[in-house]
Amino acid sequence: MNSEQHRKYGSLVGCLVIAMLFAAASEAQGDDGYRLWCRYDQLPAQALTRYRTQVSEIVVSGKSATLDVLRAELVDGCSGLLGSPVPSGVEVSRDGAVVAGTPQSSPLIKSLHWEAQLAALGPEGFCIHSVRLSTHRAIVIAANSELGALYGTFHFLRLMQTLQPIDKLDVSQKPRLQLRMLDHWDNLDGSIERGYAGRSLWNWSVLPDVIDPRLQDYARANASIGINGSLLNNVNANAQILTAEYLRKVVAIADVFRPYGVRVFLSARFSAPIDLGGLKTADPLDPEVAAWWKKKADEIYQFIPDFGGFVVKANSEGQPGPRTYNRNHVDGANMLAAALAPHKGVVIWRAFVYDMKPGYDRAAAAYDNLQPFDGQFAPNVLLQVKNGPIDFQPREPFHPLFGAMPKTQLMLELQLTQEYLGFSNHLVFLPQMWREVLDSDTYSKGSGSTVMKVVDGRLYHQSLTGMAGVANTGSDRNWTGHQFAQANWYAFGRIAWNPDLASSQIADEWIKMTFTQDPKAVETIAGIMLGSREAAVDYMTPLGLHHIMWGGTHYGPAPWWDTEPRADWNPVYYHRADELGLGFDRTLWDELALHYQRGVDWVRTTRREWDNLAGVIDNERHAEVAKKLAIQERDAVWWRDAVLSYFQTFSKRPLPSGVEQPARTLEEYKAKSLSW
Ligand code: GCW
């Protein structure tokens, strides 16, 4: 039970009567989505009969912050799902015990002598086995670390939430990637860059004195999907975060996250030695600058002994960096790395750098800037590369740095917040986009050299691995603005844990945990989710189009846009339409128009399918999603009509049959941005 529910239901948490009242009430009142996928409402009747014989008591011995969290999760989860309180103790007393912990925390687990198996699972893996303990049937969740056991606990609960068999369990898992991080582009004033779900979850003005209970729910949700790192502040960084005053606030957050295995990271502004330290320069080769950072790192680790490290956006979009001082990226990254190395911290250096040179090709810019440094970064540096070379577009090829820097530890950066995908108004399930990138073949070591094998370290044996997702969370009651955007947070954690997971499996799990276990409804909703990304590509940027959105906001179409100071911030730079180019060839023109129409049709069909789910989904979330889908249809129509009207000025051809005529003139689309 999360702290929010504790607040609501006070000390009666776990009481059967209240649980039943709650279940009945939630049907009538609806569900606001706060509980995400960590809902433990009673399972359907057939599952109950099956599971009740398997789960009759919880056995978790030992005491620590993580073990306490783990025990509470198992007790609340099993009691809620089974619809009656499951007792908790430290001895197995009957058939159906669920035992969880490590060989250190649990004498029972120690007595099983699973040392060899556990050793193979590493620091975060777990196993779950159906066993006999003396005369009793039991399920044992075991790991080397308490965090591993917590991950195993969530996995076990997920099996029940998704109605999987639990009678002959034989599960062993460990994460494929070491750093599984959410990157928050949160500013210290509470706003969120590219955030569409309210304000920042970190309430800097009242921290550390007031700690929002929601922070615990955030950490818990992350632990439930294996996320183990959180970058708290925007990469367009304010150096204030590194002052003692703010570090004390960060300590309060880190303390809440720690039992859940979520370590904090901070964005470091490269000019901090000037901004905070009063130095005249931030030149990375200046000994005073290096000493300043070393002292700062020592201070941070005194405050937060398990601090993860720095994320740095340098010499990009106006941010300071080593090149300001005629030094290069390696000089900058390695200087910071040296400050963090004694504490085992890492530097995550972002590859989102693009310089404008004669004959400039934006898609090659990061490659040109960084590839020459392959092999020169310190061992505790990771280079964080966006999935594509442009900027989180609805569809992009994989970033050319993947496979091109065999001697550099590359980390993949994905974007959960839908900056270019309809904000929190559009239902777009992102894992298919991520799959497309992960499964792309770089051919860097012959065929089969996929991006996934670069990122998980298999191809070039990098010793640090990771994946970051730019977070879509905020203070909105449902966390992500759109109920379905929660699925992208969920999916990110699952994929960072296991990059092989199919999108269909992730959708199936999430729907059953979040919305309904009704098989027909699950099928319909999964169909909607799995079709949603291609539909968004269709109604926004089909056939390889990209970056044709409204300048600044990135919401709504503006292929005509040509007023930004940099050429590569303007859509006209990307589509290059003229009388000879895009849209001029008849086949391309028809195809383009038909894709836009197909995207619109998808949204209309989806609205009908969603309407038919009334009564299966609680009223509150059903109505909320229906409203968002109405906006999505309005936007899809607008995208189609605005973009086609504009390209028609070049093609000078009529719309093919089956494509609806625009409701307005091109001038009207140009006059005003689509509102969100
Ligand atoms: O896509 C651009 C965004 C910026 C962002 C930048 C980046 C944090 O429009 O808002 O800045 O990418 O990734 O650094």
Side-chain angles (χ1 to χ4, degrees):
M1 178 115 353
N2 59 38
S3 61
E4 183 67 17
Q5 287 164 304
H6 273 293
R7 267 216 310 273
K8 248 170 143 174
Y9 304 110
S11 59
L12 292 173
V13 166
C15 163
L16 173 62
V17 179
I18 294 296
M20 285 168 62
L21 281 176
F22 172 66
S26 73
E27 272 316 304
Q29 291 168 2
D31 184 325
D32 58 21
Y34 183 86
R35 294 179 295 162
L36 299 160
W37 49 87
C38 302
R39 300 158 90 250
Y40 298 134
D41 292 348
Q42 187 175 321
L43 293 169
Q46 326 83 287
L48 290 181
T49 352
R50 258 199 296 153
Y51 290 152
R52 277 186 183 143
T53 59
Q54 306 296 328
V55 178
S56 63
E57 66 178 354
I58 306 299
V59 179
V60 179
S61 50
K63 231 195 128 34
S64 76
T66 300
L67 288 170
D68 291 349
V69 159
L70 179 163
R71 183 183 300 106
E73 202 68 41
L74 266 183
V75 171
D76 293 337
C78 293
S79 304
L81 293 170
L82 300 184
S84 59
V86 177
S88 157
V90 291
E91 301 287 348
V92 171
S93 67
R94 61 190 106 180
D95 275 347
V98 178
V99 181
T102 70
Q104 289 74 37
S105 74
S106 160
L108 273 172
I109 292 177
K110 191 175 166 65
S111 74
L112 292 168
H113 294 293
W114 288 352
E115 290 85 0
Q117 187 195 355
L118 290 181
L121 294 173
E124 293 179 302
F126 60 83
C127 61
I128 311 178
H129 296 295
S130 302
V131 296
R132 261 188 183 281
L133 290 173
S134 64
T135 57
H136 295 301
R137 272 189 296 109
I139 292 170
V140 176
I141 305 170
N144 285 313
S145 68
E146 293 173 1
L147 179 60
L150 180 63
Y151 288 152
T153 294
F154 280 114
H155 182 88
F156 173 69
L157 290 167
R158 182 186 306 125
L159 292 176
M160 287 199 280
Q161 287 172 287
T162 57
L163 308 180
Q164 304 298 307
I166 58 164
D167 51 338
K168 292 191 193 90
L169 288 174
D170 184 16
V171 176
S172 289
Q173 288 201 3
K174 61 177 175 185
R176 277 256 286 289
L177 300 172
Q178 292 161 37
L179 298 175
R180 306 177 298 279
M181 290 177 56
L182 281 188
D183 284 5
H184 293 269
W185 287 354
D186 291 20
N187 300 314
L188 302 189
D189 65 2
S191 62
I192 304 179
E193 182 155 347
R194 311 301 177 189
Y196 315 106
R199 308 270 299 162
S200 173
L201 289 167
W202 335 128
N203 205 340
W204 296 113
S205 59
V206 295
L207 281 164
D209 303 326
V210 182
I211 298 168
D212 187 344
R214 201 164 171 168
L215 295 189
Q216 189 184 345
D217 297 335
Y218 164 87
R220 169 177 173 252
N222 280 326
S224 78
I225 49 176
I227 289 174
N228 65 0
S230 178
L231 170 67
L232 298 182
N233 63 318
N234 193 351
V235 290
N236 290 331
N238 183 332
Q240 287 301 312
I241 193 84
L242 300 176
T243 60
E245 183 197 349
Y246 271 88
L247 289 174
R248 277 189 208 99
K249 299 169 191 277
V250 175
V251 168
I253 298 178
D255 287 348
V256 176
F257 290 1
R258 189 165 296 110
Y260 297 90
V262 178
R263 293 162 76 204
V264 300
F265 291 71
L266 294 176
S267 291
R269 187 169 172 86
F270 204 78
S271 58
I274 303 173
D275 307 335
L276 305 179
L279 301 192
K280 290 211 170 50
T281 176
D283 180 348
L285 299 191
D286 183 306
E288 272 193 78
V289 170
W292 188 89
W293 280 109
K294 199 179 166 329
K295 207 161 149 242
K296 185 48 77 181
D298 295 347
E299 183 192 356
I300 295 175
Y301 279 91
Q302 283 216 328
F303 276 115
I304 310 154
D306 57 354
F307 178 66
F310 292 140
V311 179
V312 188
K313 172 174 177 177
N315 294 120
S316 162
E317 300 185 331
Q319 293 299 300
R323 301 190 51 180
T324 318
Y325 308 95
N326 287 324
R327 310 299 184 191
N328 62 39
H329 289 283
V330 168
D331 297 331
N334 289 0
M335 180 274 293
L336 291 176
L340 294 171
H343 308 284
K344 303 203 170 9
V346 299
V347 170
I348 298 175
W349 195 263
R350 293 181 81 237
F352 186 65
V353 251
Y354 50 102
D355 277 351
M356 192 97 186
K357 294 192 193 128
Y360 176 70
D361 172 1
R362 165 73 182 267
Y367 184 101
D368 289 348
N369 269 284
L370 289 154
Q371 199 284 332
F373 297 117
D374 187 30
Q376 297 180 39
F377 288 102
N380 59 333
V381 175
L382 289 125
L383 191 63
Q384 183 164 295
V385 183
K386 289 186 182 183
N387 56 273
I390 303 299
D391 192 9
F392 300 134
Q393 298 302 298
R395 171 165 281 138
E396 279 188 58
F398 70 87
H399 200 294
L401 282 175
F402 291 113
M405 296 189 78
K407 290 180 269 174
T408 303
Q409 305 182 114
L410 298 185
M411 175 166 168
L412 174 63
E413 178 176 320
L414 302 170
Q415 194 183 47
L416 282 52
T417 192
Q418 292 167 229
E419 175 180 354
Y420 295 98
L421 282 149
F423 294 5
S424 56
N425 283 333
H426 293 204
L427 189 169
V428 185
F429 185 53
L430 299 173
Q432 276 156 311
M433 174 194 304
W434 305 337
R435 277 254 64 82
E436 215 168 76
V437 175
L438 289 167
D439 297 340
S440 291
D441 201 337
T442 69
Y443 291 95
S444 56
K445 253 190 169 181
S447 121
S449 306
T450 57
V451 171
M452 176 160 70
K453 286 191 193 160
V454 175
V455 172
D456 72 13
R458 264 182 292 169
L459 207 58
Y460 295 116
H461 313 292
Q462 66 184 60
S463 48
L464 287 174
T465 58
M467 212 186 261
V470 179
N472 60 357
T473 49
S475 61
D476 277 7
R477 181 70 194 159
N478 67 14
W479 298 90
T480 53
H482 195 307
Q483 299 284 354
F484 275 82
Q486 296 180 357
N488 292 328
W489 180 8
Y490 179 83
F492 172 74
R494 299 288 289 134
I495 283 189
W497 181 277
N498 176 6
D500 287 330
L501 275 184
S503 311
S504 54
Q505 182 184 330
I506 299 171
D508 185 81
E509 286 176 2
W510 179 81
I511 299 163
K512 287 178 178 156
M513 295 168 82
T514 308
F515 268 118
T516 175
Q517 284 123 349
D518 176 292
K520 262 204 85 59
V522 171
E523 197 187 318
T524 306
I525 300 172
I528 292 173
M529 290 167 76
L530 295 172
S532 61
R533 188 288 186 118
E534 199 59 42
V537 171
D538 275 338
Y539 67 71
M540 287 181 170
T541 51
L543 299 179
L545 280 170
H546 55 273
H547 212 291
I548 56 168
M549 63 287 148
W550 199 272
T553 67
H554 299 174
Y555 193 87
W560 50 81
W561 199 276
D562 62 358
T563 54
E564 297 293 335
R566 279 185 68 131
D568 61 338
W569 289 353
N570 287 308
V572 293
Y573 168 88
Y574 292 95
H575 63 65
R576 294 176 188 218
D578 61 16
E579 287 68 15
L580 301 172
L582 185 78
F584 201 76
D585 169 69
R586 184 179 164 72
T587 319
L588 175 60
W589 172 245
D590 284 3
E591 186 74 9
L592 187 73
L594 289 166
H595 269 275
Y596 276 101
Q597 183 64 44
R598 191 167 81 179
V600 169
D601 292 345
W602 181 88
V603 185
R604 289 183 179 145
T605 309
T606 295
R607 289 190 68 186
R608 280 198 297 279
E609 286 176 350
W610 185 257
D611 288 346
N612 290 337
L613 291 172
V616 186
I617 306 294
D618 57 281
N619 294 340
E620 188 174 349
R621 287 186 297 173
H622 187 268
E624 205 180 301
V625 172
K627 269 194 202 146
K628 296 271 184 178
L629 287 172
I631 300 175
Q632 191 165 355
E633 180 180 342
R634 178 204 66 174
D635 292 357
V637 167
W638 189 287
W639 265 95
R640 179 197 62 196
D641 295 346
V643 175
L644 291 178
S645 304
Y646 170 71
F647 285 136
Q648 203 168 26
T649 64
F650 301 103
S651 81
K652 304 194 170 64
R653 287 176 187 277
L655 291 169
S657 89
V659 178
E660 294 157 29
Q661 292 299 323
R664 299 160 196 252
T665 64
L666 178 57
E667 290 321 307
E668 286 174 282
Y669 294 117
K670 281 177 155 181
K672 200 169 144 305
S673 131
L674 183 53
S675 76
W676 60 90

